[in-house]
Amino acid sequence: MTANTLFDLAFALAAPFWALLILAPGWRWTDRIAASPLPMVPVLAVYLALAVPVFPQLWAAVSQPGLAAFQELLRLGGGAGAIWAQVIAWDLFLGQWMYREARELGIHPLVMGPLLVLTVLLSPIGVLLFLGIRAGFRRRARRSDAMPRPTTGHRRLSTP
């Protein structure tokens, strides 16, 4: 396979999982898939297929990070593709984590859908917005846990 084909394949392999997280929240299989690291494995395989041929340049770029080394890596088709596949896998990992956190906190799917789409496209912005929303939901949950619960009915008086 060519670097161009692998580049295209990286997102194609992740897209069905993103579709589940965004379009089928709460479905039993979506919850199971979101809890598994397996959706990232095919994308990571694409990463390896792209990274191995350019490993010397990749190693140079990551072992002594500098802008020039990354620019050189990105000039290589496999280098740019490897970085792309790494980003796709990382974004999917973040999306799965966000999905699970949102389900646990009770964040509505209509809030999470657009956030997950934003995370697919511009993950730093999507994650930052999610972290803000998550903090608000956690704060609200702590406040409701700390408030005394109203009693219902009459209290029973004990008799000796």
Side-chain angles (χ1 to χ4, degrees):
M1 271 192 212
T2 67
N4 282 339
T5 303
L6 289 169
F7 181 91
D8 294 338
L9 187 59
F11 185 75
L13 290 169
F17 300 109
W18 280 108
L20 282 175
L21 298 176
I22 295 165
L23 301 174
W27 184 42
R28 182 172 48 111
W29 283 101
T30 303
D31 291 344
R32 286 182 180 178
I33 289 167
S36 171
L38 294 179
M40 290 175 283
V41 171
V43 181
L44 293 173
V46 170
Y47 165 80
L48 288 173
L50 288 162
V52 167
V54 297
F55 188 77
Q57 296 89 343
L58 178 62
W59 182 254
V62 298
S63 64
Q64 294 180 335
L67 184 58
F70 273 98
Q71 287 172 328
E72 184 62 34
L73 177 63
L74 292 175
R75 282 189 191 96
L76 305 171
I83 297 298
W84 175 249
Q86 180 178 335
V87 168
I88 295 298
W90 179 247
D91 287 354
L92 185 55
F93 176 77
L94 289 170
Q96 288 178 264
W97 170 76
M98 290 167 57
Y99 174 88
R100 290 189 319 271
E101 284 283 302
R103 299 279 297 152
E104 186 177 308
L105 292 169
I107 301 173
H108 199 279
L110 291 177
V111 172
M112 284 310 299
L115 272 176
L116 289 169
V117 169
L118 188 57
T119 302
V120 171
L121 302 173
L122 299 166
S123 61
I125 296 170
V127 171
L128 282 173
L129 288 172
F130 175 72
L131 290 174
I133 291 168
R134 176 178 170 248
F137 270 78
R138 283 184 160 183
R139 195 170 22 257
R140 184 184 318 159
R142 279 193 302 271
R143 271 195 303 237
S144 69
D145 286 347
M147 291 175 47
R149 304 215 189 273
T151 58
T152 57
H154 298 281
R155 285 197 316 167
R156 244 178 162 179
L157 296 175
S158 61
T159 56

